[in-house]
Amino acid sequence: MVSRISHKERVWNRDALKELQRCIQNGMMTGERVVKEITANALLALNISSVDATDIPTIFTVKESENSTRFSTVNTNAEVTFNGIVFDGIMECDCSMYTSSKLLCPCICRVCQHMNVDFKNPKHIHPRYWIVFHPLYVQALKNLDMSDNKHAPWVGKYEPPIEEEGATAGQNTLKTGENGIVK
């Protein structure tokens, strides 16, 4: 039984590593499944017909129809703390789909369509879905013989942990570089 579980874990890790490597090679900042899910939510957003601005320019109310009494509130410029790092410009919604997953929901996609904003831009997506935060990200970079992350939206704010010599396998040590940036 234990060997079966260990085998499954190795297969999942291998598949995750391959997907991460594909994402890095293709210049993606989120995983393939995240893009697929957001695209599906963008299609669902077509069913939402009412997007209204509020007194605050970054806050919108979204309803399925003008007459609907149920609505969601979308913030297009939220500040989010993730792994102890503050990120701004993240889009958030108070609907159950977003609050349970932190993945862009149809409400956010509809507001983006209304504002003519690219909802697939990783700078708007919760950092939990950025590939740099995946536990196997550093290993994927090593496998690809890559060490630069210049394309990433987190440049200047976060760099993936670097394994120090002497650390046990799989254990990363965070270092703070100049300007307090985590390295």
Side-chain angles (χ1 to χ4, degrees):
M1 179 69 162
V2 172
S3 65
R4 174 83 175 130
I5 293 170
S6 295
H7 172 73
K8 278 292 193 191
E9 181 184 18
R10 285 192 306 274
V11 169
W12 289 329
N13 285 343
R14 183 194 66 216
D15 292 347
L17 198 55
K18 285 181 183 179
E19 182 178 337
L20 278 169
Q21 290 170 338
R22 275 194 313 273
C23 291
I24 292 167
Q25 289 172 323
N26 293 328
M28 297 171 70
M29 295 170 218
T30 60
E32 296 165 348
R33 287 175 241 164
V34 171
V35 172
K36 193 180 291 184
E37 188 68 30
I38 291 172
T39 303
N41 286 342
L43 289 174
L44 291 173
L46 298 174
N47 296 328
I48 299 171
S49 63
S50 176
V51 176
D52 297 314
T54 64
D55 295 338
I56 304 169
T58 60
I59 308 286
F60 293 83
T61 57
V62 179
K63 297 189 248 179
E64 277 191 32
S65 68
E66 289 290 332
N67 301 330
S68 181
T69 56
R70 291 180 46 194
F71 66 92
S72 295
T73 305
V74 173
N75 183 351
T76 60
N77 193 24
E79 195 173 86
V80 172
T81 302
F82 182 73
N83 282 1
I85 305 165
V86 176
F87 297 91
D88 57 349
I90 305 298
M91 296 191 176
E92 289 188 317
C93 183
D94 62 3
C95 74
S96 60
M97 182 181 277
Y98 181 84
T99 55
S100 67
S101 69
K102 302 294 185 207
L103 190 61
L104 297 188
C105 61
C107 306
I108 293 174
C109 292
R110 183 63 186 107
V111 169
C112 288
Q113 292 164 352
H114 175 77
M115 295 173 52
N116 201 23
V117 171
D118 181 15
F119 53 84
K120 289 183 183 175
N121 183 338
K123 292 180 183 182
H124 302 305
I125 298 171
H126 196 284
R128 128 187 323 178
Y129 294 106
W130 294 358
I131 62 174
V132 72
F133 290 113
H134 194 285
L136 295 175
Y137 182 76
V138 174
Q139 183 61 46
L141 284 176
K142 285 181 183 178
N143 289 358
L144 295 170
D145 290 329
M146 296 174 72
S147 61
D148 86 343
N149 294 304
K150 304 299 183 242
H151 66 282
W154 48 82
V155 168
K157 200 172 260 206
Y158 175 83
E159 294 295 326
I162 300 165
E163 273 191 35
E164 288 186 11
E165 287 185 35
T168 20
Q171 182 182 41
N172 292 326
T173 306
L174 292 178
K175 291 183 180 177
T176 304
E178 294 177 17
N179 303 327
I181 298 170
V182 178
K183 285 191 175 181

